[in-house]
Amino acid sequence: SFVFVIDSASDDIGFLESIQVFHSLFGSQPKQRANVPVLILVNKQDLYGARTAEEVEMALDLPKYERFL
């Protein structure tokens, strides 16, 4: 299983880096990761200006992985 933590209040550069890491982990050969539990934790949502869970979901393009995650 995987736990992926993303800082919803990070600056744009840090946020983009997190997205790239996610895609490097899960974007290649998603069928090999099928049936592997994944928890995506969006932390620091209590801070002013933090991205919402929905914004993070769209940035990570999670619907694309729905069949595999």
Side-chain angles (χ1 to χ4, degrees):
S1 64
F2 290 96
V3 176
F4 188 81
V5 181
I6 189 163
D7 182 351
S8 65
S10 68
D11 61 13
D12 289 340
I13 293 171
F15 187 69
L16 290 173
E17 184 178 338
S18 296
I19 292 168
Q20 290 172 343
V21 169
F22 179 84
H23 288 296
S24 71
L25 290 172
F26 300 105
S28 62
Q29 302 172 342
K31 290 182 182 180
Q32 289 183 342
R33 288 168 184 72
N35 301 317
V36 174
V38 177
L39 170 67
I40 300 171
L41 177 64
V42 182
N43 71 341
K44 298 186 183 177
Q45 287 189 294
D46 59 323
L47 298 179
Y48 178 78
R51 293 164 185 87
T52 65
E54 292 79 16
E55 290 172 316
V56 173
E57 177 183 1
M58 295 310 294
L60 293 175
D61 197 16
L62 291 183
K64 175 173 109 177
Y65 297 100
E66 213 167 51
R67 295 188 337 227
F68 304 109
L69 293 179

